[in-house]
Amino acid sequence: MKQKKIRRKAAGPVITGAVAWVLSFLLALLTVLGVVACTVCNSRYLRNQVLESGFCEATLEQLNENYTSYGNAGGIPEEVMTSIVTEDQIQQDMFQAVERLYEGDRRLIAHPEVAEAAVEAIESNLEERGVQLTDAIRQAVQEMANGCQVDYDNYVQLIVTPYVAPYIARVTQMVWIGFAVLAAVSLITLALLMRLQPSGAARLRWCINAFSAAALFSVAVPLVFNALVRMDRLNLSPATLKMLVASYTHGAVEVFFYFALIYVVVVIALAIAWRAGLKKYRMVYRRAKEEREEA
């Protein structure tokens, strides 16, 4: 019986350590799903990246450069060609593309209004200069306007839409279900960890270890990713799309830091409780010792 009891005591820390490791692993998985839910499954995150990446400004600059070259070939002033589209227009059309992606619409959006605006701006300029709009000139203007629209359609879009849109709703549902299941399993594992240790100080110590491991994981992932993955080497065209993808990816990876902050706050709270309990235990032990010495 004594030998059996000794074995049981020796196996306690091993079992508790295994449960604590499982808890930290579950928290790591929970973090990954949480990051995916906050980024990939969130249309607002993509809209924010459209703004924060500088995509709209860079796209407008590139389009104006292209349009100016078209205008130079046809003798149209630069100020006319750069008036065809605006930054606000690009932003609104990108937001619309994001919404259609998350609605499951796999069709890419065409923008005939750009060609119409180009025709109107160019023909108005020609008329102001006294140029007679013959059929040949009108046809040339229309071809130039169509080229402007093609450029706009190529730049202001999400090329992943035809491939991702049909699955985005299903993936989002699976991620949130998985997050809820992992959260429930993590709570059960935490309760089991509490039951394995009768001492409050020991419980807190093992919980601190588990949450510290999860915090370390949440910090390590973005650091390792940024060190190993060079987004500036992506072979994507146009360059504005590369900017958006790089900003989107780095922003998503940085969300790990927010989860790390949550875990750090939990660890600090547990550490404070552990130190308070330890201090109280020492005071009780010292008082009992003094009483025994007086007796």
Side-chain angles (χ1 to χ4, degrees), residues 89 93-94 96-97 100 105-116 146 148-158 161:
Q89 180 181 355
D93 287 339
M94 279 301 294
Q96 184 183 5
R100 293 185 67 167
D105 190 344
R106 64 189 305 168
R107 294 172 298 173
L108 295 176
I109 304 174
H111 300 279
E113 68 277 4
V114 172
E116 294 171 2
N146 291 340
C148 292
Q149 180 187 336
V150 169
D151 279 355
Y152 191 89
D153 290 343
N154 288 336
Y155 279 88
V156 185
Q157 65 166 324
L158 297 171
T161 296

Side-chain angles (χ1 to χ4, degrees), residues 251-274:
V253 171
E254 287 174 1
V255 176
F256 278 93
F257 286 124
Y258 292 101
F259 282 88
L261 180 61
I262 294 172
Y263 295 139
V264 168
V265 170
V266 173
V267 168
I268 292 174
L270 292 174
I272 292 173
W274 179 73

Side-chain angles (χ1 to χ4, degrees), residues 107-230:
R107 294 172 298 173
L108 295 176
I109 304 174
H111 300 279
E113 68 277 4
V114 172
E116 294 171 2
V119 169
E120 182 179 351
I122 296 171
E123 288 186 351
S124 296
N125 177 260
L126 292 175
E127 289 175 350
E128 289 174 1
R129 290 157 53 194
V131 178
Q132 185 178 0
L133 298 178
T134 63
D135 291 341
I137 292 178
R138 289 183 185 276
Q139 183 177 356
V141 170
Q142 187 62 56
E143 290 178 357
M144 187 183 298
N146 291 340
C148 292
Q149 180 187 336
V150 169
D151 279 355
Y152 191 89
D153 290 343
N154 288 336
Y155 279 88
V156 185
Q157 65 166 324
L158 297 171
I159 60 173
V160 299
T161 296
Y163 313 101
V164 176
Y167 310 104
I168 193 76
R170 190 182 309 170
V171 170
T172 301
Q173 184 181 23
M174 292 175 61
V175 167
W176 281 112
I177 291 175
F179 186 86
V181 170
L182 275 176
V185 175
S186 298
L187 290 175
I188 294 172
T189 307
L190 179 61
L192 177 61
L193 183 62
M194 294 292 189
R195 288 186 63 86
L196 287 174
Q197 290 294 325
S199 169
R203 293 174 180 175
L204 291 173
R205 190 167 57 249
W206 282 109
C207 288
I208 289 172
N209 292 339
F211 281 94
S212 296
L216 182 61
F217 169 82
S218 300
V219 171
V221 168
L223 294 180
V224 172
F225 180 88
N226 291 330
L228 298 180
V229 181
R230 299 293 301 274

